[in-house]
Amino acid sequence: MLVPMRAVLEAADRYDYAQGAFNVNAVCQAKAVIRVHEMFRSPAILQGADLANGFMGGRKDFMNADLEDKKAGARNIAAAVKKYGSDSMIPVALHLDHGKNLDSCIAAIEGGYTSVMIDGSSLPFDENVELTREVVKYAHERGVTVEGELGVLAGVEDHVFSADSTYTNPLDAVEFFRKTKVDALAISYGTMHGANKGKNAVIRKEIAIAIKECLRHEGIQGYLVSHGSSTVPQYIVEEINGLGGELANTYGIDVNQLIEASHCGINKINVDTDIRLAVTRNLRELFAGETALRSSASIGEIYELLEKNRSAFDPRVFLTPVMDTVMHGSIPDDDVARICQCIEDGVKEVVGTLIVKFGSYGRAPKVETATLEQMAERYKKAGI
């Protein structure tokens, strides 16, 4: 069933495990994320980034997506999650990743998201507080979870870019929770957006420890989020390059560091790049093994885009020839079905591995299955 993300984070915090949160950009990705979580009896958090909503709204040049594109995409992603998750035996949350402004968050909520992130990390502290508090008021009235961000992560992901990191000050984090009443906070503690994190990236778990201890001392129930946390499996990178890709300096965060951080206050770990890599590897493998598909009327253009963009690994670059399949899940012929199978298999490979490593398998019964209406009433009673 669909639940507010707060319920999923409460269980992760109480039972001391990491909850992965996985970005999706197509209906078949959403299906695969839910199915593999069901297989492992794990709670699930699916994420649609702000510009992923634009892409799912039909905007092929998603970097230029406008609000109407995002509204349409939010409805499409939510429809897919509802289709595969509403009657599921596991709790499923749908979360907006890197909401750019209040309008983006409203579009996601109206579209059917049960959680939103407002990213005010580039703003001065007081302006970040003001923006986040505005989103919290709107969302909590509707039972929707809110995640904020404090501190700046280096790296590139959609419209999020910074050349340098600014670590989160634990004392500022406590004040941010107190002033905004936000449910969760993405912190900067050494992770980076994108696939070029550096070979020996080191996270500073002591920042998470300090924030969590200060929150406990102040009696604040808040949850911490690790962005830029893809592990970038090297075997997948090597396979992509062996199939004609040209990826360089492609490294992630050591999964053992993330597991350790999960026992130091980090409750949610965001993963996007790993999925992109596995799907891209599978697409290249399909066309390498079945050369007749390169001239397919329905998917041949996907092969051409793979060849033209050898250093790319974001499937959105390659999947524009099958936008109706991306947006609505339609499968007009066997060739498109093969593409969907590649996508689903890549998702399951990465997500299943991390469910096990993060320790969320078997935890579905631990999550309180609160509805948005019940959560809204809880917020109202608490004055937030």
Side-chain angles (χ1 to χ4, degrees), residues 50 96 98-106 109 116-140 146-150 159 176 179-182 185:
D50 191 35
L96 174 68
H98 287 289
K100 190 175 182 180
N101 48 40
L102 176 61
D103 286 339
S104 291
C105 292
I106 291 174
I109 292 169
V116 295
M117 179 205 177
I118 178 64
D119 185 357
S121 60
S122 63
L123 300 173
F125 181 83
D126 289 343
E127 293 180 29
N128 190 357
V129 167
E130 182 179 0
L131 174 62
T132 304
R133 181 59 186 155
E134 190 176 14
V135 173
V136 167
K137 288 178 180 177
Y138 182 89
H140 280 184
V146 180
E147 174 186 323
E149 182 165 356
L150 191 61
H159 59 62
F176 192 85
K179 288 185 173 181
T180 63
K181 308 298 183 184
V182 75
L185 184 65

Short mmCIF file of all heavy atoms in Angstrom, two decimals, residues 50 96 98-106 109 116-140 146-150 159 176 179-182 185:
data_model
loop_
_atom_site.label_atom_id
_atom_site.label_comp_id
_atom_site.label_asym_id
_atom_site.label_seq_id
_atom_site.Cartn_x
_atom_site.Cartn_y
_atom_site.Cartn_z
N ASP A 50 12.80 16.13 -9.76
CA ASP A 50 12.01 17.22 -10.31
C ASP A 50 12.00 17.18 -11.83
O ASP A 50 10.95 17.28 -12.48
CB ASP A 50 12.61 18.55 -9.80
CG ASP A 50 11.71 19.74 -10.10
OD1 ASP A 50 10.49 19.59 -10.06
OD2 ASP A 50 12.25 20.83 -10.37
N LEU A 96 9.37 13.00 -4.11
CA LEU A 96 9.95 13.95 -5.06
C LEU A 96 11.38 14.25 -4.64
O LEU A 96 11.63 14.71 -3.53
CB LEU A 96 9.15 15.24 -5.09
CG LEU A 96 9.73 16.37 -5.95
CD1 LEU A 96 9.67 16.01 -7.43
CD2 LEU A 96 9.00 17.69 -5.68
N HIS A 98 14.74 16.46 -5.02
CA HIS A 98 15.23 17.78 -5.43
C HIS A 98 14.15 18.67 -6.04
O HIS A 98 14.31 19.20 -7.14
CB HIS A 98 16.41 17.64 -6.40
CG HIS A 98 17.67 17.19 -5.72
ND1 HIS A 98 18.39 18.00 -4.87
CD2 HIS A 98 18.32 16.01 -5.77
CE1 HIS A 98 19.44 17.33 -4.41
NE2 HIS A 98 19.41 16.12 -4.94
N GLY A 99 13.05 18.82 -5.30
CA GLY A 99 12.06 19.80 -5.71
C GLY A 99 12.70 21.18 -5.76
O GLY A 99 13.37 21.59 -4.81
N LYS A 100 12.46 21.89 -6.85
CA LYS A 100 13.16 23.16 -7.07
C LYS A 100 12.51 24.32 -6.33
O LYS A 100 13.19 25.25 -5.89
CB LYS A 100 13.20 23.45 -8.57
CG LYS A 100 14.09 24.59 -8.98
CD LYS A 100 14.15 24.71 -10.49
CE LYS A 100 15.09 25.83 -10.93
NZ LYS A 100 15.15 25.94 -12.41
N ASN A 101 11.19 24.27 -6.19
CA ASN A 101 10.46 25.37 -5.55
C ASN A 101 9.12 24.85 -5.05
O ASN A 101 8.79 23.67 -5.21
CB ASN A 101 10.28 26.54 -6.52
CG ASN A 101 9.75 26.09 -7.88
OD1 ASN A 101 8.88 25.20 -7.96
ND2 ASN A 101 10.27 26.66 -8.96
N LEU A 102 8.34 25.75 -4.45
CA LEU A 102 7.04 25.36 -3.91
C LEU A 102 6.13 24.82 -5.01
O LEU A 102 5.42 23.83 -4.80
CB LEU A 102 6.38 26.55 -3.21
CG LEU A 102 4.96 26.31 -2.66
CD1 LEU A 102 4.96 25.21 -1.61
CD2 LEU A 102 4.39 27.61 -2.10
N ASP A 103 6.15 25.44 -6.18
CA ASP A 103 5.28 24.99 -7.26
C ASP A 103 5.59 23.56 -7.69
O ASP A 103 4.68 22.77 -7.97
CB ASP A 103 5.42 25.93 -8.47
CG ASP A 103 4.74 27.26 -8.25
OD1 ASP A 103 3.86 27.34 -7.38
OD2 ASP A 103 5.09 28.23 -8.96
N SER A 104 6.88 23.21 -7.73
CA SER A 104 7.26 21.84 -8.09
C SER A 104 6.74 20.85 -7.05
O SER A 104 6.28 19.76 -7.39
CB SER A 104 8.78 21.72 -8.20
OG SER A 104 9.27 22.43 -9.32
N CYS A 105 6.82 21.23 -5.78
CA CYS A 105 6.34 20.36 -4.71
C CYS A 105 4.82 20.20 -4.76
O CYS A 105 4.29 19.09 -4.59
CB CYS A 105 6.77 20.91 -3.35
SG CYS A 105 8.56 20.85 -3.06
N ILE A 106 4.12 21.30 -5.02
CA ILE A 106 2.66 21.23 -5.14
C ILE A 106 2.27 20.34 -6.32
O ILE A 106 1.34 19.53 -6.22
CB ILE A 106 2.07 22.64 -5.29
CG1 ILE A 106 2.22 23.42 -3.98
CG2 ILE A 106 0.60 22.57 -5.69
CD1 ILE A 106 1.79 24.87 -4.07
N ILE A 109 2.66 16.75 -5.22
CA ILE A 109 1.63 16.35 -4.25
C ILE A 109 0.28 16.18 -4.93
O ILE A 109 -0.43 15.19 -4.71
CB ILE A 109 1.55 17.39 -3.10
CG1 ILE A 109 2.83 17.35 -2.26
CG2 ILE A 109 0.32 17.12 -2.22
CD1 ILE A 109 2.96 18.50 -1.29
N VAL A 116 7.77 14.81 -0.43
CA VAL A 116 8.47 15.73 -1.33
C VAL A 116 9.74 16.23 -0.65
O VAL A 116 9.83 16.34 0.56
CB VAL A 116 7.60 16.95 -1.72
CG1 VAL A 116 6.41 16.52 -2.55
CG2 VAL A 116 7.17 17.75 -0.50
N MET A 117 10.74 16.54 -1.48
CA MET A 117 11.93 17.23 -1.00
C MET A 117 11.95 18.63 -1.59
O MET A 117 11.72 18.81 -2.79
CB MET A 117 13.20 16.50 -1.45
CG MET A 117 14.47 17.21 -0.99
SD MET A 117 15.88 16.85 -2.02
CE MET A 117 17.11 17.92 -1.25
N ILE A 118 12.21 19.61 -0.75
CA ILE A 118 12.45 20.96 -1.22
C ILE A 118 13.93 21.26 -1.00
O ILE A 118 14.43 21.15 0.12
CB ILE A 118 11.54 22.00 -0.51
CG1 ILE A 118 11.87 23.41 -1.00
CG2 ILE A 118 11.64 21.90 1.02
CD1 ILE A 118 11.58 23.63 -2.47
N ASP A 119 14.61 21.57 -2.08
CA ASP A 119 16.06 21.79 -2.01
C ASP A 119 16.37 23.28 -1.98
O ASP A 119 16.47 23.93 -3.02
CB ASP A 119 16.75 21.12 -3.21
CG ASP A 119 18.27 21.21 -3.13
OD1 ASP A 119 18.78 21.84 -2.19
OD2 ASP A 119 18.94 20.65 -4.01
N GLY A 120 16.53 23.80 -0.78
CA GLY A 120 16.93 25.20 -0.61
C GLY A 120 18.37 25.33 -0.18
O GLY A 120 18.76 26.36 0.37
N SER A 121 19.17 24.31 -0.44
CA SER A 121 20.54 24.27 0.07
C SER A 121 21.43 25.35 -0.50
O SER A 121 22.45 25.71 0.11
CB SER A 121 21.16 22.89 -0.19
OG SER A 121 21.21 22.61 -1.58
N SER A 122 21.08 25.89 -1.67
CA SER A 122 21.91 26.94 -2.26
C SER A 122 21.58 28.32 -1.71
O SER A 122 22.28 29.30 -2.00
CB SER A 122 21.73 26.95 -3.79
OG SER A 122 20.39 27.27 -4.13
N LEU A 123 20.53 28.40 -0.91
CA LEU A 123 20.08 29.69 -0.35
C LEU A 123 20.78 29.98 0.98
O LEU A 123 21.24 29.05 1.66
CB LEU A 123 18.57 29.66 -0.12
CG LEU A 123 17.68 29.43 -1.34
CD1 LEU A 123 16.23 29.26 -0.90
CD2 LEU A 123 17.80 30.59 -2.32
N PRO A 124 20.83 31.24 1.39
CA PRO A 124 21.27 31.55 2.76
C PRO A 124 20.38 30.83 3.77
O PRO A 124 19.21 30.53 3.46
CB PRO A 124 21.09 33.07 2.85
CG PRO A 124 21.16 33.55 1.43
CD PRO A 124 20.54 32.45 0.61
N PHE A 125 20.90 30.55 4.95
CA PHE A 125 20.21 29.73 5.94
C PHE A 125 18.77 30.20 6.18
O PHE A 125 17.82 29.41 6.13
CB PHE A 125 20.99 29.72 7.25
CG PHE A 125 20.36 28.87 8.32
CD1 PHE A 125 20.59 27.50 8.36
CD2 PHE A 125 19.52 29.43 9.28
CE1 PHE A 125 20.01 26.71 9.34
CE2 PHE A 125 18.94 28.64 10.27
CZ PHE A 125 19.19 27.28 10.30
N ASP A 126 18.58 31.49 6.44
CA ASP A 126 17.24 32.00 6.78
C ASP A 126 16.27 31.84 5.61
O ASP A 126 15.09 31.53 5.82
CB ASP A 126 17.32 33.46 7.21
CG ASP A 126 17.97 33.64 8.57
OD1 ASP A 126 18.06 32.64 9.32
OD2 ASP A 126 18.40 34.77 8.89
N GLU A 127 16.76 32.03 4.39
CA GLU A 127 15.89 31.86 3.23
C GLU A 127 15.55 30.39 3.00
O GLU A 127 14.43 30.06 2.59
CB GLU A 127 16.55 32.46 1.99
CG GLU A 127 16.69 33.97 2.03
CD GLU A 127 17.36 34.52 0.78
OE1 GLU A 127 17.22 33.90 -0.29
OE2 GLU A 127 18.03 35.57 0.88
N ASN A 128 16.51 29.51 3.27
CA ASN A 128 16.26 28.08 3.18
C ASN A 128 15.19 27.67 4.18
O ASN A 128 14.25 26.92 3.85
CB ASN A 128 17.57 27.32 3.44
CG ASN A 128 17.48 25.83 3.14
OD1 ASN A 128 16.43 25.31 2.78
ND2 ASN A 128 18.59 25.13 3.31
N VAL A 129 15.31 28.18 5.40
CA VAL A 129 14.30 27.90 6.44
C VAL A 129 12.92 28.37 5.99
O VAL A 129 11.92 27.65 6.10
CB VAL A 129 14.70 28.57 7.78
CG1 VAL A 129 13.51 28.55 8.75
CG2 VAL A 129 15.90 27.87 8.40
N GLU A 130 12.86 29.59 5.47
CA GLU A 130 11.57 30.17 5.07
C GLU A 130 10.91 29.35 3.96
O GLU A 130 9.71 29.04 4.03
CB GLU A 130 11.79 31.61 4.60
CG GLU A 130 10.50 32.32 4.21
CD GLU A 130 10.75 33.76 3.78
OE1 GLU A 130 11.92 34.20 3.78
OE2 GLU A 130 9.77 34.45 3.42
N LEU A 131 11.70 28.98 2.95
CA LEU A 131 11.16 28.19 1.84
C LEU A 131 10.72 26.81 2.32
O LEU A 131 9.62 26.34 1.97
CB LEU A 131 12.22 28.05 0.74
CG LEU A 131 11.87 27.13 -0.43
CD1 LEU A 131 10.63 27.63 -1.17
CD2 LEU A 131 13.05 26.99 -1.38
N THR A 132 11.56 26.16 3.11
CA THR A 132 11.24 24.82 3.58
C THR A 132 10.00 24.83 4.46
O THR A 132 9.13 23.95 4.36
CB THR A 132 12.44 24.22 4.35
OG1 THR A 132 13.59 24.24 3.51
CG2 THR A 132 12.15 22.80 4.78
N ARG A 133 9.90 25.84 5.33
CA ARG A 133 8.73 25.94 6.22
C ARG A 133 7.45 26.13 5.41
O ARG A 133 6.40 25.56 5.73
CB ARG A 133 8.92 27.11 7.19
CG ARG A 133 7.77 27.28 8.19
CD ARG A 133 7.56 26.04 9.03
NE ARG A 133 6.38 26.16 9.89
CZ ARG A 133 5.69 25.13 10.35
NH1 ARG A 133 6.05 23.89 10.05
NH2 ARG A 133 4.64 25.32 11.11
N GLU A 134 7.53 26.86 4.32
CA GLU A 134 6.38 27.08 3.46
C GLU A 134 5.90 25.75 2.85
O GLU A 134 4.69 25.47 2.82
CB GLU A 134 6.75 28.07 2.34
CG GLU A 134 5.58 28.57 1.52
CD GLU A 134 5.99 29.61 0.51
OE1 GLU A 134 7.21 29.77 0.26
OE2 GLU A 134 5.10 30.27 -0.05
N VAL A 135 6.86 24.94 2.40
CA VAL A 135 6.51 23.64 1.84
C VAL A 135 5.95 22.72 2.92
O VAL A 135 4.96 21.99 2.69
CB VAL A 135 7.73 23.00 1.16
CG1 VAL A 135 7.43 21.56 0.73
CG2 VAL A 135 8.18 23.82 -0.04
N VAL A 136 6.56 22.74 4.10
CA VAL A 136 6.09 21.90 5.21
C VAL A 136 4.64 22.20 5.55
O VAL A 136 3.82 21.29 5.73
CB VAL A 136 6.99 22.10 6.46
CG1 VAL A 136 6.33 21.48 7.70
CG2 VAL A 136 8.36 21.47 6.22
N LYS A 137 4.28 23.47 5.64
CA LYS A 137 2.91 23.83 5.97
C LYS A 137 1.93 23.26 4.95
O LYS A 137 0.88 22.71 5.31
CB LYS A 137 2.77 25.35 6.05
CG LYS A 137 3.44 25.99 7.26
CD LYS A 137 3.30 27.50 7.22
CE LYS A 137 3.95 28.14 8.44
NZ LYS A 137 3.88 29.64 8.38
N TYR A 138 2.26 23.41 3.68
CA TYR A 138 1.38 22.91 2.63
C TYR A 138 1.28 21.39 2.67
O TYR A 138 0.19 20.81 2.59
CB TYR A 138 1.88 23.37 1.26
CG TYR A 138 0.98 22.95 0.12
CD1 TYR A 138 -0.08 23.75 -0.29
CD2 TYR A 138 1.19 21.73 -0.53
CE1 TYR A 138 -0.90 23.35 -1.33
CE2 TYR A 138 0.36 21.33 -1.57
CZ TYR A 138 -0.68 22.13 -1.96
OH TYR A 138 -1.51 21.72 -2.97
N ALA A 139 2.43 20.74 2.77
CA ALA A 139 2.47 19.28 2.70
C ALA A 139 1.86 18.62 3.92
O ALA A 139 1.08 17.65 3.80
CB ALA A 139 3.91 18.81 2.50
N HIS A 140 2.21 19.08 5.11
CA HIS A 140 1.73 18.43 6.33
C HIS A 140 0.22 18.50 6.47
O HIS A 140 -0.40 17.59 7.05
CB HIS A 140 2.43 19.03 7.54
CG HIS A 140 3.81 18.50 7.76
ND1 HIS A 140 4.59 18.85 8.84
CD2 HIS A 140 4.55 17.63 7.04
CE1 HIS A 140 5.76 18.23 8.76
NE2 HIS A 140 5.75 17.48 7.67
N VAL A 146 8.00 15.72 4.31
CA VAL A 146 8.87 16.71 3.67
C VAL A 146 10.32 16.47 4.08
O VAL A 146 10.63 16.28 5.26
CB VAL A 146 8.47 18.15 4.05
CG1 VAL A 146 9.42 19.15 3.36
CG2 VAL A 146 7.04 18.44 3.64
N GLU A 147 11.19 16.49 3.07
CA GLU A 147 12.63 16.42 3.27
C GLU A 147 13.25 17.75 2.83
O GLU A 147 12.87 18.28 1.78
CB GLU A 147 13.21 15.27 2.43
CG GLU A 147 14.72 15.16 2.43
CD GLU A 147 15.22 14.10 1.46
OE1 GLU A 147 14.54 13.04 1.34
OE2 GLU A 147 16.25 14.31 0.81
N GLY A 148 14.14 18.29 3.65
CA GLY A 148 14.87 19.49 3.27
C GLY A 148 16.33 19.16 3.03
O GLY A 148 16.73 17.98 3.08
N GLU A 149 17.14 20.16 2.77
CA GLU A 149 18.57 19.94 2.59
C GLU A 149 19.35 21.10 3.18
O GLU A 149 18.97 22.26 3.03
CB GLU A 149 18.94 19.76 1.12
CG GLU A 149 20.43 19.48 0.92
CD GLU A 149 20.78 18.93 -0.46
OE1 GLU A 149 19.87 18.69 -1.26
OE2 GLU A 149 21.99 18.73 -0.71
N LEU A 150 20.45 20.77 3.86
CA LEU A 150 21.31 21.77 4.48
C LEU A 150 22.76 21.37 4.24
O LEU A 150 23.15 20.26 4.58
CB LEU A 150 21.01 21.86 5.99
CG LEU A 150 21.63 23.04 6.74
CD1 LEU A 150 21.14 24.37 6.19
CD2 LEU A 150 21.30 22.94 8.23
N HIS A 159 19.49 19.32 -12.66
CA HIS A 159 19.78 20.75 -12.52
C HIS A 159 20.56 21.08 -11.25
O HIS A 159 20.79 22.25 -10.95
CB HIS A 159 18.48 21.58 -12.56
CG HIS A 159 17.50 21.24 -11.48
ND1 HIS A 159 17.76 21.38 -10.14
CD2 HIS A 159 16.24 20.74 -11.56
CE1 HIS A 159 16.71 21.02 -9.44
NE2 HIS A 159 15.78 20.62 -10.27
N PHE A 176 17.58 24.02 12.11
CA PHE A 176 16.77 23.87 10.90
C PHE A 176 15.56 22.98 11.17
O PHE A 176 14.44 23.32 10.79
CB PHE A 176 17.64 23.28 9.79
CG PHE A 176 17.01 23.33 8.43
CD1 PHE A 176 17.12 24.47 7.64
CD2 PHE A 176 16.32 22.23 7.91
CE1 PHE A 176 16.56 24.52 6.37
CE2 PHE A 176 15.76 22.28 6.65
CZ PHE A 176 15.87 23.42 5.88
N LYS A 179 13.06 24.97 13.42
CA LYS A 179 12.35 26.09 12.80
C LYS A 179 11.42 25.68 11.67
O LYS A 179 10.39 26.32 11.44
CB LYS A 179 13.36 27.12 12.29
CG LYS A 179 14.05 27.90 13.39
CD LYS A 179 14.97 28.98 12.82
CE LYS A 179 15.52 29.88 13.92
NZ LYS A 179 16.40 30.95 13.38
N THR A 180 11.78 24.63 10.95
CA THR A 180 10.98 24.24 9.78
C THR A 180 9.95 23.16 10.10
O THR A 180 8.96 23.03 9.38
CB THR A 180 11.87 23.72 8.65
OG1 THR A 180 12.54 22.53 9.09
CG2 THR A 180 12.90 24.77 8.24
N LYS A 181 10.19 22.35 11.14
CA LYS A 181 9.36 21.18 11.44
C LYS A 181 9.43 20.13 10.34
O LYS A 181 8.51 19.32 10.16
CB LYS A 181 7.91 21.57 11.70
CG LYS A 181 7.73 22.66 12.73
CD LYS A 181 8.24 22.27 14.11
CE LYS A 181 7.99 23.36 15.13
NZ LYS A 181 8.57 23.04 16.46
N VAL A 182 10.51 20.15 9.58
CA VAL A 182 10.69 19.21 8.49
C VAL A 182 10.84 17.79 9.06
O VAL A 182 11.28 17.60 10.20
CB VAL A 182 11.93 19.62 7.66
CG1 VAL A 182 13.22 19.27 8.39
CG2 VAL A 182 11.91 19.04 6.27
N LEU A 185 16.11 15.42 6.73
CA LEU A 185 17.09 16.39 6.26
C LEU A 185 18.21 15.70 5.53
O LEU A 185 18.86 14.79 6.06
CB LEU A 185 17.66 17.18 7.45
CG LEU A 185 18.64 18.31 7.09
CD1 LEU A 185 17.93 19.41 6.31
CD2 LEU A 185 19.28 18.87 8.36
#
